[in-house]
């Protein structure tokens, strides 16, 4: 396993093409705009080497019997699913942001199941190929970006019916050596500071779209791959000092890219689906359920920090009113409800034919749908408690300037037990964690709310519920008793 330093050194050996604000990024580790993202993912390496966290952060490979980072593992029990949630909550608490590495973990677990299912029906050998690739990832302790979301173009049209065929990643050429893919993936969490990416389909596909049924792995710096880095709320503050970012060590969200594949060659040993369109839907929903499971872990870790910040702000402000206690309790209830949902879908997980464990899909979708509401509500209550202060604070430069520092210290002072700087720092942290990009990620990460609603409706067996109601209301008996002429 790599430690944090080794992870950073390993990134320095790669040379991905990354555009950011009109320039090329030379080193994701050393560039001040990307360094916080490296630090966030670096926590998954750092904690794995800490004996105090070995139980949550590491496990034994079912392929080699060696100890590996849990982020490269295939879930072997419901206990593994539960430990994943607990691990994510802990890392969320320590970083206050997205640490990115779970997307690849979930992509690998859904590929493990899907390749087994394809082989069983089609007689292919994707599963063995994927196991070899997985061993390679585990051996090197690589970070893998799960690369699923295509740009999608006109949402009313399937991939092949788009005006531009490249709006979904597709195979443009097959040779004896491998395939060539073209297209792009959007919203790619953790891509720039990963070693590898695992490409998988984003939607259900029909026979006409079989060229779009493609799953494969490639290095993030493969030839003809271009990454364009996304902008986050207030990210320019990273260049201004450490107070105004609110969380200077870590990032605001995952650090997403638009990743473009300009006819990229992938050798056959790294291709795990090629044309088997009928498996795309299950592939997508398996990945989605695994990733929705996570949000009652990572986001609850963030909620813990937001709740703590709000409680601290109340103390700094000197507010002792009972409504603060009431609001904090509401926030705690929402956070623990999301955690409950994640633990629930993990406890109710089942063994797949491939031998790995899969979460309960219905319950996994409740996690994420609750998250799209509760993270906003938790943030709203945090703003309520903190006061307008967090929206009107002066620049860090003015706080550091001898001409203005004394004014700010004097007029932003509140409870004398605490310094003004303490109050400003926690206020900025709250601003960072409860605004713009951070909230939008809670809404759309792992799929937008309507995607969860479709799954909840599909999985909940409404007919069974109707029959329960009819049985108690004796509706069937009334129908039977009706006279024939009625
Ligand atoms: Fe992991 Fe959460 Fe970030 Fe998704 S949003 S990659 S689950 S930390
Ligand atoms: Fe996410």
């Amino acid at each position: 396993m790599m430690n944090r330093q080794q992870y950073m050194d390993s990134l320095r050996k790669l040379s991905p093409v990354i555009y950011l604000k009109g320039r090329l990024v030379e080193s994701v580790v050393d560039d001040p705009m990307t360094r916080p993202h490296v630090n966030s993912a670096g926590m998954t390496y750092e904690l794995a080497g800490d004996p105090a966290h070995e139980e949550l952060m590491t496990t034994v490979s079912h392929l080699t019997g060696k100890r590996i980072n849990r982020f490269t593992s295939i879930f072997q029990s419901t206990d593994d699913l539960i430990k994943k949630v607990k691990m994510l909550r802990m890392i969320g608490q320590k970083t206050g942001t997205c640490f990115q590495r779970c997307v690849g973990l979930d992509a690998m677990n859904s590929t493990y199941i899907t390749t087994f299912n394809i082989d069983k029906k089609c007689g292919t050998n994707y599963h063995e190929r994927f196991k070899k690739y997985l061993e390679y990832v585990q051996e090197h302790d690589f970070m893998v970006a799960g690369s699923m979301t295509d740009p999608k173009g006109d949402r009313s049209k399937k991939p092949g019916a788009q005006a531009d065929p490249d709006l979904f990643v597709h195979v443009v050429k097959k040779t004896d050596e491998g395939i060539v893919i073209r297209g792009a993936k959007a919203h790619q969490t953790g891509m720039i500071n990963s070693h590898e990416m695992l490409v998988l389909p984003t939607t259900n596909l029909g026979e006409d779209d079989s060229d779009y049924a493609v799953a494969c792995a490639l290095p993030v710096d493969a030839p003809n791959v271009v990454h364009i880095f996304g902008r986050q709320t207030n990210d320019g503050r990273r260049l201004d000092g450490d107070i105004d970012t609110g969380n200077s060590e870590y990032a605001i969200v995952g650090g997403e890219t638009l990743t473009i594949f300009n006819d990229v060659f992938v050798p056959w040993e790294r291709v795990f689906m090629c044309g088997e369109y009928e498996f795309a839907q299950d592939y997508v929903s398996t990945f989605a359920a695994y990733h929705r499971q996570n949000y009652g872990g990572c986001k609850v870790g963030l909620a813990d920090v937001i709740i703590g910040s709000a409680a601290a702000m109340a103390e700094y402000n000197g507010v002792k009113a009972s409504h603060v206690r009431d609001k904090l309790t509401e926030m705690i209830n929402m956070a623990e409800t999301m955690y409950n949902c994640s633990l629930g879908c993990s406890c109710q997980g089942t063994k797949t034919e491939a031998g790995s464990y899969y979460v309960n899909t219905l319950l996994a979708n409740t996690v994420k749908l609750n998250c799209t509401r509760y993270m906003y509500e938790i943030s709203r209550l945090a703003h309520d408690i903190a006061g307008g202060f967090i929206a009107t604070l002066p620049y860090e430069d003015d706080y550091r300037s001898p001409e203005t520092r004394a004014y700010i210290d004097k007029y932003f002072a509140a409870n004398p037990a605490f310094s003004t700087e303490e109050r400003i720092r926690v206020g900025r942290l709250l601003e960072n964690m409860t605004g713009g990009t951070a909230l939008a990620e809670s809404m759309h990460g792992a799929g937008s709310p309507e995607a969860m609603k479709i799954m909840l409706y599909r999985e909940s067996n409404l007919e069974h519920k109707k029959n329960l109601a009819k049985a108690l209301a004796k509706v069937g008996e009334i129908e039977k008793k009706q006279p024939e002429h009625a």
Side-chain angles (χ1 to χ4, degrees):
M1 288 185 287
M2 283 196 274
N3 60 28
R4 184 174 182 269
Q5 189 56 48
Q6 288 164 330
Y7 163 60
M8 293 192 180
D9 292 344
S10 68
L11 291 181
R12 286 198 174 95
K13 291 184 192 134
L14 303 177
S15 44
V17 176
I18 305 161
Y19 287 95
L20 187 157
K21 206 168 182 280
R23 63 180 174 86
L24 278 167
V25 174
E26 275 183 33
S27 161
V28 290
V29 180
D30 303 310
D31 193 301
M33 289 301 287
T34 53
R35 173 72 179 222
H37 297 281
V38 175
N39 288 343
S40 308
M43 189 63 89
T44 71
Y45 289 92
E46 186 180 326
L47 293 176
D50 182 342
H53 301 300
E54 188 184 45
E55 176 80 6
L56 280 190
M57 294 296 306
T58 70
T59 186
V60 170
S61 165
H62 76 292
L63 297 176
T64 63
K66 292 183 190 163
R67 188 147 287 278
I68 52 169
N69 190 304
R70 190 174 292 281
F71 280 98
T72 64
S73 71
I74 298 297
F75 310 119
Q76 299 298 308
S77 61
T78 52
D79 189 50
D80 275 348
L81 295 171
I82 293 166
K83 284 194 174 128
K84 177 197 192 194
V85 174
K86 292 185 173 177
M87 169 178 79
L88 301 191
R89 184 170 184 173
M90 175 178 72
I91 308 174
Q93 289 172 342
K94 290 181 186 295
T95 57
T97 186
C98 167
F99 35 89
Q100 316 145 18
R101 209 173 165 190
C102 343
V103 197
L105 171 63
D106 296 334
M108 289 191 284
N109 273 274
S110 49
T111 304
Y112 193 84
I113 294 171
T114 308
T115 50
F116 182 91
N117 292 342
I118 299 176
D119 287 359
K120 195 177 156 204
K121 186 161 173 220
C122 308
T124 41
N125 70 335
Y126 293 127
H127 193 62
E128 282 310 310
R129 252 185 219 172
F130 182 67
K131 276 171 35 185
K132 283 208 183 78
Y133 174 71
L134 183 65
E135 212 177 310
Y136 167 74
V137 169
Q138 291 181 342
E139 201 62 31
H140 292 84
D141 199 5
F142 280 148
M143 174 163 163
V144 178
S147 196
M148 189 177 99
T149 311
D150 295 84
K152 297 199 196 94
D154 180 344
R155 269 50 173 181
S156 70
K157 294 191 167 68
K158 297 298 288 178
Q162 297 284 336
D164 180 345
D166 301 340
L167 290 168
F168 289 76
V169 170
H170 57 125
V171 177
V172 289
K173 197 172 165 192
K174 286 182 207 169
T175 68
D176 289 346
E177 285 76 40
I179 59 172
V180 175
I181 58 170
R182 186 184 300 161
K185 293 284 186 183
H187 324 303
Q188 295 299 291
T189 297
M191 177 64 83
I192 57 158
N193 47 292
S194 290
H195 307 91
E196 290 272 320
M197 65 178 113
L198 179 52
V199 172
L200 55 153
T202 203
T203 185
N204 61 327
L205 298 166
E207 197 173 350
D208 293 347
D209 288 329
S210 56
D211 286 345
Y212 293 87
V214 57
C216 58
L218 54 155
V220 296
D221 60 350
N224 301 343
V225 173
V226 175
H227 309 281
I228 305 173
F229 197 63
R231 179 146 220 202
Q232 291 106 48
T233 309
N234 296 332
D235 57 1
R237 293 185 188 184
R238 283 170 200 168
L239 308 174
D240 293 344
D242 81 314
I243 295 180
D244 282 358
T245 60
N247 184 3
S248 58
E249 203 63 30
Y250 305 103
I252 300 151
V253 286
E256 280 70 23
T257 58
L258 174 66
T259 292
I260 298 123
F261 304 90
N262 284 323
D263 291 3
V264 178
F265 172 73
V266 185
W268 281 115
E269 64 265 26
R270 282 170 161 258
V271 177
F272 313 121
M273 172 190 242
C274 187
E276 294 82 5
Y277 64 90
E278 68 272 37
F279 291 88
Q281 176 152 12
D282 278 353
Y283 202 169
V284 173
S285 53
T286 306
F287 169 80
Y290 274 133
H291 205 58
R292 288 169 196 168
Q293 170 207 16
N294 299 354
Y295 276 53
C298 73
K299 297 294 182 240
V300 177
L302 307 199
D304 290 331
V305 178
I306 295 171
I307 294 166
S309 303
M313 285 306 295
E315 280 178 24
Y316 296 159
N317 293 344
V319 178
K320 296 195 179 102
S322 64
H323 68 82
V324 170
R325 185 191 172 110
D326 190 53
K327 284 163 189 160
L328 289 172
T329 310
E330 278 291 317
M331 295 159 84
I332 293 164
N333 185 45
M334 286 184 276
E336 301 303 338
T337 300
M338 291 189 283
Y339 187 52
N340 266 329
C341 294
S342 279
L343 292 179
C345 76
S346 307
C347 293
Q348 295 293 301
T350 46
K351 191 171 185 175
T352 65
E353 279 193 66
S356 59
Y357 272 72
Y358 177 52
V359 289
N360 177 295
T361 316
L362 177 71
L363 300 184
N365 278 278
T366 67
V367 176
K368 180 64 215 312
L369 191 58
N370 279 333
C371 188
T372 63
R373 297 170 178 150
Y374 291 171
M375 289 308 286
Y376 282 74
E377 185 60 13
I378 287 170
S379 301
R380 188 183 75 79
L381 290 170
H383 289 179
D384 183 348
I385 293 170
F389 171 79
I390 61 166
T392 59
L393 279 168
Y395 284 83
E396 180 172 343
D397 285 345
D398 292 321
Y399 192 56
R400 295 201 185 282
S401 160
E403 282 160 49
T404 42
R405 166 103 184 202
Y407 292 132
I408 295 170
D409 269 335
K410 177 177 162 76
Y411 290 108
F412 280 118
N415 183 343
F418 303 97
S419 71
T420 301
E421 179 166 343
E422 212 171 329
R423 189 169 172 240
I424 291 174
R425 280 186 177 275
V426 176
R428 283 293 187 208
L429 174 65
L430 207 44
E431 184 199 19
N432 165 308
M433 293 185 70
T434 55
T437 326
L439 278 184
E441 208 286 327
S442 297
M443 176 67 79
H444 295 291
S448 306
E450 288 310 315
M452 280 124 237
K453 288 183 189 170
I454 289 167
M455 290 305 291
L456 285 170
Y457 195 83
R458 190 186 291 163
E459 296 273 322
S460 76
N461 198 351
L462 219 51
E463 279 310 308
H464 174 61
K465 295 187 199 309
K466 271 158 64 182
N467 288 336
L468 293 175
K470 285 179 185 173
L472 286 176
K474 301 185 177 169
V475 173
E477 289 177 29
I478 292 171
E479 277 168 9
K480 272 184 232 145
K481 278 182 203 157
Q482 278 178 347
E484 276 178 15
H485 63 267

